[in-house]
Amino acid sequence: MLKPLGDRILVQVDEEKEQTVGGIVLANNAKEKPQSGEVVAVGAGEKAPDGKVIPMTLKKGDKVIYDKYAGSEVKYEGNKYLVMHEKDVMAVIE
């Protein structure tokens, strides 16, 4: 498994929707990029200027909504993930 470093998290991206609410099937290039997913791994935390590590707020298993263009896409063992900074997460879904 991939282990993010510092204040980064690894998010498994939710599947893209194939249809609109009205039932129209979307072409691949018309689909919107998903903005939600599940945190599958977290780094140790951000390092403060005094050398102390600030612990992460997010934890493995959190469902999150993130900025549309956040993170870097990574494919690992056939799965699609995003590696992003914790600050790119806008909300946790409870």
Side-chain angles (χ1 to χ4, degrees):
M1 180 47 109
L2 299 173
K3 174 74 173 147
L5 301 176
D7 68 334
R8 290 180 177 84
I9 60 172
L10 185 68
V11 176
Q12 185 162 18
V13 178
D14 285 344
E15 292 296 316
E16 298 171 0
K17 293 182 179 176
E18 297 288 329
Q19 293 183 346
T20 64
V21 175
I24 298 170
V25 177
L26 298 172
N28 283 339
N29 59 353
K31 294 178 189 173
E32 284 193 30
K33 181 179 174 185
Q35 289 179 261
S36 63
E38 182 177 344
V39 177
V40 294
V42 296
E46 185 176 0
K47 203 171 231 185
D50 64 0
K52 293 182 181 178
V53 176
I54 301 168
M56 300 288 279
T57 304
L58 297 171
K59 61 188 179 307
K60 184 178 177 180
D62 284 347
K63 291 276 200 185
V64 295
I65 297 174
Y66 47 84
D67 285 334
K68 190 169 192 167
Y69 301 105
S72 298
E73 191 174 295
V74 177
K75 289 187 181 179
Y76 179 73
E77 294 184 349
N79 294 319
K80 192 187 320 183
Y81 299 100
L82 278 177
V83 178
M84 68 181 75
H85 290 278
E86 184 178 42
K87 68 182 178 188
D88 292 332
V89 173
M90 298 186 297
V92 175
I93 302 169
E94 295 183 342

